[in-house]
Amino acid sequence: MNLSIKTKKMKKIKIVLVLTILFSFSCASNDYWKLRIEVPGKASFNLDQYNEVVITNFLVKEETKDFNLNQELVDYFSFEVGQNFKGTVSSKKIAFEKEEPFKNEAFWKNLLPDRKEAILFTGGVQYTEEIRKSILQKQKDRFEDPFVSKKRSLAERRFYTLNLDLYIIDAKTGRALYKRNFKESKGFENPKQTAPFAFFELIQKVKAKFFRNILGEATIQERYLIYD
């Protein structure tokens, strides 16, 4: 290897090492502030280019006993969209012709023939629950006989899963402008936890992700400010 090239490489390595040491020393010797700041998000869809949002009933894959899932979704999104949209928010009950209608542009195009500046807010949903059993092993006390087997007990937890496909469809063309799947699950120690209560917790998680995606809502992030 050429001696001059080797010398240059050694100098670069030394410079990097010196800079690394200086940076580490400055971080160690200086104080810092931990800041929480809002970082603007980037909206993937602009609602304000339309004058009306029409929320339809949802395609429910499996009905939930003693809980009107469809009505809960329509009421919830009617309120939440209304809080974040300057135009009109209305609802419309439709009859789905087949199981997968969201790719059928003609179906959606004919729903609102007199409202071309509107968008349809719709989707498909599946809400399930299950009981999961697990064995809990109790730890021995400090002075307990080490040869006695540990006590075990059987515990039950109720899990709820909300699997929701949301669509925003152009009423004029029937084309899907936005599609996203949201799947949220949560387990509850109380095996008698009700479906409505669990639904409210899960739909809140969906709402946070959905509006962050649609409106570009700011997120809270941590930053460090180093000072002498």
Short mmCIF file of all heavy atoms in Angstrom, two decimals, residues 57-104:
data_model
loop_
_atom_site.label_atom_id
_atom_site.label_comp_id
_atom_site.label_asym_id
_atom_site.label_seq_id
_atom_site.Cartn_x
_atom_site.Cartn_y
_atom_site.Cartn_z
N ASN A 57 -73.69 2.38 7.32
CA ASN A 57 -73.54 1.23 8.21
C ASN A 57 -72.38 0.37 7.72
O ASN A 57 -71.91 0.52 6.59
CB ASN A 57 -74.83 0.41 8.27
CG ASN A 57 -75.39 0.10 6.89
OD1 ASN A 57 -75.70 1.02 6.13
ND2 ASN A 57 -75.51 -1.17 6.56
N PHE A 58 -71.90 -0.51 8.57
CA PHE A 58 -70.71 -1.30 8.27
C PHE A 58 -71.10 -2.74 7.92
O PHE A 58 -72.14 -3.25 8.35
CB PHE A 58 -69.76 -1.30 9.46
CG PHE A 58 -69.05 0.02 9.65
CD1 PHE A 58 -69.73 1.14 10.12
CD2 PHE A 58 -67.70 0.15 9.36
CE1 PHE A 58 -69.08 2.35 10.28
CE2 PHE A 58 -67.05 1.35 9.52
CZ PHE A 58 -67.74 2.46 9.98
N LEU A 59 -70.24 -3.37 7.15
CA LEU A 59 -70.43 -4.77 6.81
C LEU A 59 -69.92 -5.60 7.99
O LEU A 59 -68.71 -5.73 8.20
CB LEU A 59 -69.66 -5.12 5.54
CG LEU A 59 -69.73 -6.58 5.07
CD1 LEU A 59 -71.16 -6.98 4.77
CD2 LEU A 59 -68.84 -6.79 3.86
N VAL A 60 -70.84 -6.12 8.79
CA VAL A 60 -70.49 -6.88 9.99
C VAL A 60 -70.36 -8.36 9.64
O VAL A 60 -71.31 -8.98 9.16
CB VAL A 60 -71.56 -6.70 11.09
CG1 VAL A 60 -71.20 -7.49 12.34
CG2 VAL A 60 -71.72 -5.22 11.42
N LYS A 61 -69.18 -8.90 9.87
CA LYS A 61 -68.92 -10.30 9.50
C LYS A 61 -69.56 -11.28 10.47
O LYS A 61 -69.86 -12.41 10.11
CB LYS A 61 -67.41 -10.53 9.41
CG LYS A 61 -66.74 -9.68 8.34
CD LYS A 61 -65.25 -9.92 8.27
CE LYS A 61 -64.61 -9.05 7.19
NZ LYS A 61 -63.13 -9.24 7.12
N GLU A 62 -69.73 -10.83 11.71
CA GLU A 62 -70.35 -11.71 12.71
C GLU A 62 -71.00 -10.84 13.78
O GLU A 62 -70.32 -10.02 14.40
CB GLU A 62 -69.31 -12.64 13.34
CG GLU A 62 -69.88 -13.64 14.30
CD GLU A 62 -68.83 -14.57 14.88
OE1 GLU A 62 -67.68 -14.55 14.37
OE2 GLU A 62 -69.12 -15.29 15.84
N GLU A 63 -72.29 -11.01 13.97
CA GLU A 63 -73.01 -10.20 14.94
C GLU A 63 -72.56 -10.52 16.37
O GLU A 63 -72.19 -11.65 16.68
CB GLU A 63 -74.53 -10.43 14.82
CG GLU A 63 -75.13 -9.98 13.51
CD GLU A 63 -75.10 -8.46 13.34
OE1 GLU A 63 -74.93 -7.76 14.35
OE2 GLU A 63 -75.23 -8.00 12.20
N THR A 64 -72.56 -9.48 17.19
CA THR A 64 -72.17 -9.63 18.59
C THR A 64 -73.42 -9.68 19.46
O THR A 64 -74.29 -8.80 19.37
CB THR A 64 -71.29 -8.44 19.04
OG1 THR A 64 -70.17 -8.35 18.16
CG2 THR A 64 -70.81 -8.63 20.47
N LYS A 65 -73.52 -10.69 20.29
CA LYS A 65 -74.70 -10.88 21.13
C LYS A 65 -74.87 -9.72 22.12
O LYS A 65 -73.91 -9.29 22.76
CB LYS A 65 -74.57 -12.21 21.89
CG LYS A 65 -75.82 -12.56 22.70
CD LYS A 65 -75.63 -13.89 23.42
CE LYS A 65 -76.86 -14.21 24.27
NZ LYS A 65 -76.68 -15.50 25.01
N ASP A 66 -76.10 -9.23 22.21
CA ASP A 66 -76.47 -8.17 23.17
C ASP A 66 -75.66 -6.88 22.97
O ASP A 66 -75.44 -6.13 23.92
CB ASP A 66 -76.29 -8.66 24.61
CG ASP A 66 -77.14 -9.89 24.91
OD1 ASP A 66 -78.25 -9.97 24.35
OD2 ASP A 66 -76.68 -10.75 25.69
N PHE A 67 -75.22 -6.64 21.74
CA PHE A 67 -74.42 -5.44 21.48
C PHE A 67 -74.58 -5.05 20.02
O PHE A 67 -74.20 -5.83 19.12
CB PHE A 67 -72.95 -5.71 21.81
CG PHE A 67 -72.03 -4.54 21.59
CD1 PHE A 67 -72.24 -3.34 22.24
CD2 PHE A 67 -70.96 -4.65 20.71
CE1 PHE A 67 -71.39 -2.27 22.02
CE2 PHE A 67 -70.10 -3.58 20.50
CZ PHE A 67 -70.32 -2.39 21.16
N ASN A 68 -75.15 -3.88 19.74
CA ASN A 68 -75.36 -3.42 18.38
C ASN A 68 -74.09 -2.77 17.86
O ASN A 68 -73.91 -1.56 17.92
CB ASN A 68 -76.53 -2.43 18.33
CG ASN A 68 -76.99 -2.15 16.90
OD1 ASN A 68 -76.23 -2.32 15.94
ND2 ASN A 68 -78.23 -1.74 16.76
N LEU A 69 -73.20 -3.60 17.34
CA LEU A 69 -71.89 -3.14 16.89
C LEU A 69 -72.01 -2.10 15.78
O LEU A 69 -71.30 -1.09 15.78
CB LEU A 69 -71.07 -4.33 16.42
CG LEU A 69 -69.68 -4.05 15.86
CD1 LEU A 69 -68.80 -3.38 16.91
CD2 LEU A 69 -69.03 -5.35 15.37
N ASN A 70 -72.91 -2.32 14.84
CA ASN A 70 -73.08 -1.41 13.72
C ASN A 70 -73.47 -0.01 14.19
O ASN A 70 -72.88 0.99 13.77
CB ASN A 70 -74.15 -1.95 12.77
CG ASN A 70 -73.72 -1.84 11.32
OD1 ASN A 70 -73.02 -0.91 10.93
ND2 ASN A 70 -74.12 -2.80 10.52
N GLN A 71 -74.46 0.05 15.05
CA GLN A 71 -74.93 1.35 15.52
C GLN A 71 -73.87 2.06 16.35
O GLN A 71 -73.72 3.30 16.27
CB GLN A 71 -76.20 1.18 16.36
CG GLN A 71 -76.95 2.48 16.64
CD GLN A 71 -77.38 3.18 15.37
OE1 GLN A 71 -78.02 2.59 14.51
NE2 GLN A 71 -77.00 4.45 15.23
N GLU A 72 -73.13 1.31 17.14
CA GLU A 72 -72.06 1.91 17.94
C GLU A 72 -71.00 2.54 17.05
O GLU A 72 -70.51 3.64 17.34
CB GLU A 72 -71.43 0.86 18.85
CG GLU A 72 -72.32 0.36 19.98
CD GLU A 72 -72.61 1.44 21.02
OE1 GLU A 72 -71.81 2.39 21.13
OE2 GLU A 72 -73.63 1.33 21.70
N LEU A 73 -70.64 1.87 15.97
CA LEU A 73 -69.63 2.41 15.05
C LEU A 73 -70.13 3.66 14.35
O LEU A 73 -69.41 4.65 14.23
CB LEU A 73 -69.25 1.34 14.02
CG LEU A 73 -68.35 0.21 14.50
CD1 LEU A 73 -68.29 -0.90 13.46
CD2 LEU A 73 -66.95 0.73 14.79
N VAL A 74 -71.37 3.62 13.87
CA VAL A 74 -71.94 4.78 13.17
C VAL A 74 -72.02 5.98 14.12
O VAL A 74 -71.63 7.10 13.76
CB VAL A 74 -73.33 4.45 12.60
CG1 VAL A 74 -74.00 5.71 12.06
CG2 VAL A 74 -73.21 3.40 11.50
N ASP A 75 -72.53 5.78 15.32
CA ASP A 75 -72.64 6.87 16.29
C ASP A 75 -71.27 7.42 16.67
O ASP A 75 -71.08 8.64 16.77
CB ASP A 75 -73.36 6.38 17.55
CG ASP A 75 -74.84 6.09 17.29
OD1 ASP A 75 -75.36 6.52 16.24
OD2 ASP A 75 -75.46 5.41 18.14
N TYR A 76 -70.33 6.52 16.89
CA TYR A 76 -69.00 6.95 17.32
C TYR A 76 -68.31 7.78 16.25
O TYR A 76 -67.81 8.88 16.52
CB TYR A 76 -68.15 5.72 17.67
CG TYR A 76 -66.78 6.08 18.22
CD1 TYR A 76 -66.61 6.36 19.57
CD2 TYR A 76 -65.67 6.15 17.39
CE1 TYR A 76 -65.37 6.71 20.07
CE2 TYR A 76 -64.43 6.48 17.89
CZ TYR A 76 -64.29 6.76 19.23
OH TYR A 76 -63.05 7.12 19.72
N PHE A 77 -68.27 7.29 15.02
CA PHE A 77 -67.57 8.00 13.96
C PHE A 77 -68.33 9.25 13.52
O PHE A 77 -67.71 10.22 13.08
CB PHE A 77 -67.29 7.09 12.78
CG PHE A 77 -66.11 6.17 13.00
CD1 PHE A 77 -66.28 4.80 13.09
CD2 PHE A 77 -64.83 6.70 13.14
CE1 PHE A 77 -65.19 3.97 13.31
CE2 PHE A 77 -63.73 5.87 13.36
CZ PHE A 77 -63.92 4.51 13.44
N SER A 78 -69.65 9.24 13.63
CA SER A 78 -70.41 10.45 13.30
C SER A 78 -70.00 11.59 14.23
O SER A 78 -69.80 12.74 13.78
CB SER A 78 -71.91 10.19 13.43
OG SER A 78 -72.35 9.25 12.48
N PHE A 79 -69.84 11.28 15.49
CA PHE A 79 -69.43 12.32 16.45
C PHE A 79 -67.98 12.73 16.24
O PHE A 79 -67.67 13.92 16.17
CB PHE A 79 -69.62 11.80 17.87
CG PHE A 79 -69.12 12.75 18.93
CD1 PHE A 79 -69.87 13.86 19.30
CD2 PHE A 79 -67.88 12.56 19.53
CE1 PHE A 79 -69.40 14.75 20.26
CE2 PHE A 79 -67.40 13.44 20.48
CZ PHE A 79 -68.16 14.54 20.84
N GLU A 80 -67.08 11.76 16.13
CA GLU A 80 -65.66 12.07 16.04
C GLU A 80 -65.31 12.79 14.73
O GLU A 80 -64.53 13.75 14.73
CB GLU A 80 -64.82 10.79 16.16
CG GLU A 80 -64.89 10.13 17.52
CD GLU A 80 -64.33 11.00 18.64
OE1 GLU A 80 -63.56 11.93 18.35
OE2 GLU A 80 -64.67 10.75 19.81
N VAL A 81 -65.87 12.35 13.60
CA VAL A 81 -65.62 13.04 12.34
C VAL A 81 -66.19 14.45 12.38
O VAL A 81 -65.60 15.40 11.88
CB VAL A 81 -66.20 12.23 11.16
CG1 VAL A 81 -66.10 13.02 9.86
CG2 VAL A 81 -65.47 10.91 11.00
N GLY A 82 -67.37 14.58 13.01
CA GLY A 82 -67.98 15.90 13.14
C GLY A 82 -67.14 16.88 13.92
O GLY A 82 -67.19 18.10 13.66
N GLN A 83 -66.34 16.37 14.85
CA GLN A 83 -65.47 17.24 15.64
C GLN A 83 -64.26 17.72 14.84
O GLN A 83 -63.62 18.70 15.20
CB GLN A 83 -64.97 16.48 16.88
CG GLN A 83 -66.06 16.09 17.86
CD GLN A 83 -66.72 17.29 18.49
OE1 GLN A 83 -66.08 18.15 19.07
NE2 GLN A 83 -68.04 17.37 18.37
N ASN A 84 -63.94 17.04 13.76
CA ASN A 84 -62.71 17.34 13.01
C ASN A 84 -62.97 17.73 11.55
O ASN A 84 -62.01 17.89 10.79
CB ASN A 84 -61.78 16.12 13.03
CG ASN A 84 -61.27 15.80 14.42
OD1 ASN A 84 -60.32 16.39 14.91
ND2 ASN A 84 -61.92 14.85 15.07
N PHE A 85 -64.24 17.91 11.17
CA PHE A 85 -64.58 18.21 9.79
C PHE A 85 -65.45 19.45 9.74
O PHE A 85 -66.44 19.56 10.49
CB PHE A 85 -65.30 17.00 9.17
CG PHE A 85 -65.72 17.19 7.75
CD1 PHE A 85 -64.79 17.48 6.76
CD2 PHE A 85 -67.06 17.09 7.39
CE1 PHE A 85 -65.18 17.64 5.43
CE2 PHE A 85 -67.46 17.26 6.07
CZ PHE A 85 -66.51 17.53 5.10
N LYS A 86 -65.14 20.38 8.85
CA LYS A 86 -65.86 21.65 8.77
C LYS A 86 -67.18 21.54 8.03
O LYS A 86 -68.07 22.36 8.20
CB LYS A 86 -64.97 22.70 8.08
CG LYS A 86 -63.69 23.02 8.84
CD LYS A 86 -62.83 24.01 8.08
CE LYS A 86 -61.53 24.30 8.82
NZ LYS A 86 -60.67 25.23 8.07
N GLY A 87 -67.30 20.52 7.18
CA GLY A 87 -68.51 20.37 6.38
C GLY A 87 -69.61 19.62 7.11
O GLY A 87 -69.63 19.52 8.33
N THR A 88 -70.55 19.08 6.33
CA THR A 88 -71.71 18.36 6.86
C THR A 88 -71.37 16.89 7.08
O THR A 88 -70.72 16.26 6.24
CB THR A 88 -72.91 18.47 5.90
OG1 THR A 88 -73.21 19.85 5.68
CG2 THR A 88 -74.13 17.77 6.45
N VAL A 89 -71.83 16.35 8.19
CA VAL A 89 -71.68 14.93 8.47
C VAL A 89 -73.08 14.33 8.58
O VAL A 89 -73.89 14.77 9.39
CB VAL A 89 -70.90 14.67 9.78
CG1 VAL A 89 -70.81 13.17 10.07
CG2 VAL A 89 -69.50 15.25 9.68
N SER A 90 -73.36 13.34 7.76
CA SER A 90 -74.67 12.68 7.78
C SER A 90 -74.47 11.17 7.75
O SER A 90 -73.34 10.68 7.63
CB SER A 90 -75.51 13.13 6.58
OG SER A 90 -74.87 12.80 5.36
N SER A 91 -75.56 10.44 7.84
CA SER A 91 -75.48 8.98 7.81
C SER A 91 -76.48 8.42 6.80
O SER A 91 -77.50 9.06 6.50
CB SER A 91 -75.73 8.39 9.20
OG SER A 91 -77.02 8.72 9.64
N LYS A 92 -76.19 7.23 6.31
CA LYS A 92 -77.07 6.58 5.33
C LYS A 92 -77.00 5.08 5.52
O LYS A 92 -75.92 4.51 5.56
CB LYS A 92 -76.63 6.94 3.90
CG LYS A 92 -77.50 6.31 2.82
CD LYS A 92 -77.03 6.74 1.44
CE LYS A 92 -77.87 6.08 0.35
NZ LYS A 92 -79.28 6.52 0.39
N LYS A 93 -78.17 4.47 5.64
CA LYS A 93 -78.23 3.01 5.78
C LYS A 93 -78.28 2.39 4.39
O LYS A 93 -79.11 2.77 3.57
CB LYS A 93 -79.46 2.61 6.60
CG LYS A 93 -79.48 1.13 6.96
CD LYS A 93 -80.63 0.82 7.88
CE LYS A 93 -80.66 -0.66 8.26
NZ LYS A 93 -79.45 -1.07 8.99
N ILE A 94 -77.40 1.46 4.15
CA ILE A 94 -77.34 0.80 2.84
C ILE A 94 -77.44 -0.71 3.01
O ILE A 94 -77.22 -1.24 4.10
CB ILE A 94 -76.03 1.16 2.09
CG1 ILE A 94 -74.80 0.66 2.87
CG2 ILE A 94 -75.94 2.66 1.84
CD1 ILE A 94 -73.49 0.86 2.14
N ALA A 95 -77.78 -1.37 1.93
CA ALA A 95 -77.83 -2.83 1.92
C ALA A 95 -76.67 -3.34 1.07
O ALA A 95 -76.59 -3.03 -0.12
CB ALA A 95 -79.16 -3.31 1.35
N PHE A 96 -75.79 -4.08 1.70
CA PHE A 96 -74.64 -4.62 0.97
C PHE A 96 -75.10 -5.77 0.07
O PHE A 96 -75.78 -6.69 0.54
CB PHE A 96 -73.57 -5.10 1.94
CG PHE A 96 -72.88 -3.98 2.68
CD1 PHE A 96 -73.21 -3.70 4.00
CD2 PHE A 96 -71.93 -3.21 2.06
CE1 PHE A 96 -72.58 -2.67 4.68
CE2 PHE A 96 -71.29 -2.17 2.72
CZ PHE A 96 -71.61 -1.90 4.04
N GLU A 97 -74.72 -5.69 -1.19
CA GLU A 97 -75.16 -6.69 -2.16
C GLU A 97 -74.37 -7.99 -2.06
O GLU A 97 -74.86 -9.05 -2.38
CB GLU A 97 -75.06 -6.11 -3.57
CG GLU A 97 -76.00 -4.93 -3.79
CD GLU A 97 -75.90 -4.38 -5.20
OE1 GLU A 97 -74.93 -4.72 -5.90
OE2 GLU A 97 -76.78 -3.59 -5.59
N LYS A 98 -73.12 -7.89 -1.67
CA LYS A 98 -72.28 -9.08 -1.55
C LYS A 98 -71.26 -8.86 -0.45
O LYS A 98 -71.16 -7.77 0.12
CB LYS A 98 -71.59 -9.40 -2.87
CG LYS A 98 -70.85 -8.23 -3.51
CD LYS A 98 -70.33 -8.62 -4.87
CE LYS A 98 -69.61 -7.44 -5.54
NZ LYS A 98 -69.08 -7.81 -6.86
N GLU A 99 -70.47 -9.88 -0.14
CA GLU A 99 -69.57 -9.82 1.00
C GLU A 99 -68.42 -8.84 0.82
O GLU A 99 -67.94 -8.25 1.77
CB GLU A 99 -69.01 -11.23 1.30
CG GLU A 99 -70.06 -12.19 1.83
CD GLU A 99 -69.45 -13.52 2.22
OE1 GLU A 99 -68.23 -13.65 2.09
OE2 GLU A 99 -70.21 -14.41 2.67
N GLU A 100 -67.93 -8.67 -0.42
CA GLU A 100 -66.80 -7.78 -0.66
C GLU A 100 -67.19 -6.68 -1.65
O GLU A 100 -66.83 -6.72 -2.82
CB GLU A 100 -65.60 -8.57 -1.19
CG GLU A 100 -65.05 -9.59 -0.21
CD GLU A 100 -64.47 -8.95 1.03
OE1 GLU A 100 -64.08 -7.76 0.97
OE2 GLU A 100 -64.42 -9.61 2.08
N PRO A 101 -67.98 -5.70 -1.20
CA PRO A 101 -68.48 -4.67 -2.12
C PRO A 101 -67.55 -3.48 -2.30
O PRO A 101 -67.82 -2.61 -3.13
CB PRO A 101 -69.76 -4.22 -1.43
CG PRO A 101 -69.43 -4.33 0.04
CD PRO A 101 -68.50 -5.52 0.16
N PHE A 102 -66.46 -3.43 -1.57
CA PHE A 102 -65.66 -2.21 -1.53
C PHE A 102 -64.85 -1.97 -2.80
O PHE A 102 -64.36 -0.87 -3.03
CB PHE A 102 -64.74 -2.23 -0.30
CG PHE A 102 -65.51 -2.40 0.99
CD1 PHE A 102 -65.47 -3.59 1.69
CD2 PHE A 102 -66.29 -1.37 1.47
CE1 PHE A 102 -66.20 -3.75 2.85
CE2 PHE A 102 -67.03 -1.51 2.63
CZ PHE A 102 -66.98 -2.71 3.32
N LYS A 103 -64.72 -2.99 -3.65
CA LYS A 103 -64.03 -2.81 -4.92
C LYS A 103 -65.01 -2.56 -6.07
O LYS A 103 -64.59 -2.34 -7.21
CB LYS A 103 -63.18 -4.05 -5.22
CG LYS A 103 -62.04 -4.26 -4.25
CD LYS A 103 -61.22 -5.49 -4.62
CE LYS A 103 -60.07 -5.71 -3.64
NZ LYS A 103 -59.28 -6.91 -3.99
N ASN A 104 -66.29 -2.59 -5.76
CA ASN A 104 -67.33 -2.39 -6.77
C ASN A 104 -67.64 -0.89 -6.90
O ASN A 104 -68.50 -0.36 -6.20
CB ASN A 104 -68.58 -3.17 -6.40
CG ASN A 104 -69.65 -3.13 -7.48
OD1 ASN A 104 -69.50 -2.42 -8.48
ND2 ASN A 104 -70.71 -3.88 -7.28
#
